[in-house]
Amino acid sequence: MGLYQICYRSRIRTDMDADGVEREVDESVRQIRQMNALNGITGALILTDTHIFHLMEGQVDFVSEALERALADPRHEDVTILSRKAVEYRLFHDSWLYFADLRLDHGRELPAQLSMIMPRPQTATAEDILALMAYIAGDLAEAQLTNRLLQI
């Protein structure tokens, strides 16, 4: 069986207060990492003020099951599948779940990939998000390489 990748966008429920969102995010990231480790799924979760972007990669059955759990999750609204395809390699091969909280990036100069998405996450295209994920994965790989070199 080959690798499969799914990327989706969902809107954060508007009836959740800020403290509720914080608790849910912390618990969700912990749970997703545990499930991903058990099922061999890698990927990334990007949080904006209003939306979540989630990329999952692994064996098709496990990734499809993870997507079904996400679709059934009542904390999500307006789930949109941005991309669903077979892939030859993992973008996030060393990360059960890379998590980026872009809510903290207001007022900071952002790379072009992020600055295009942040003001209107609901209109981001599959190409936009996959380019963002590739950018983050490259940044992560570069940081890991730097860390390894510094340990020599």
Side-chain angles (χ1 to χ4, degrees), residues 90-103:
R90 295 174 187 254
L91 285 175
F92 294 91
H93 56 88
D94 286 336
S95 181
W96 297 125
L97 182 71
Y98 173 81
F99 175 64
D101 188 345
L102 299 185
R103 298 174 304 164

Side-chain angles (χ1 to χ4, degrees), residues 4-112:
Y4 199 69
Q5 181 187 82
I6 294 175
C7 184
Y8 70 86
R9 168 187 53 228
S10 67
R11 188 164 38 91
I12 300 169
R13 269 194 9 232
T14 56
D15 62 343
M16 293 181 69
D17 64 19
D19 290 337
V21 169
E22 291 303 319
R23 280 190 306 275
E24 292 293 332
V25 166
D26 291 343
E27 182 61 19
S28 292
V29 168
R30 187 188 64 73
Q31 287 178 351
I32 292 169
R33 284 180 174 149
Q34 285 180 334
M35 291 298 296
N36 284 359
L38 289 172
N39 295 310
I41 297 173
T42 56
L45 183 74
I46 298 173
L47 177 65
T48 72
D49 290 330
T50 58
H51 288 77
I52 294 169
F53 296 96
H54 191 177
L55 181 130
M56 301 176 280
E57 47 198 15
Q59 298 300 316
V60 66
D61 293 342
F62 292 125
V63 173
S64 295
E65 288 171 14
L67 175 64
E68 291 305 316
R69 282 191 300 275
L71 292 173
D73 189 330
R75 298 171 294 184
H76 295 274
E77 295 180 333
D78 299 328
V79 177
T80 303
I81 307 299
L82 298 172
S83 175
R84 181 185 284 201
K85 62 185 178 179
V87 294
E88 294 184 25
Y89 60 90
R90 295 174 187 254
L91 285 175
F92 294 91
H93 56 88
D94 286 336
S95 181
W96 297 125
L97 182 71
Y98 173 81
F99 175 64
D101 188 345
L102 299 185
R103 298 174 304 164
L104 307 175
D105 286 329
H106 287 290
R108 192 178 103 192
E109 187 172 324
L110 299 171

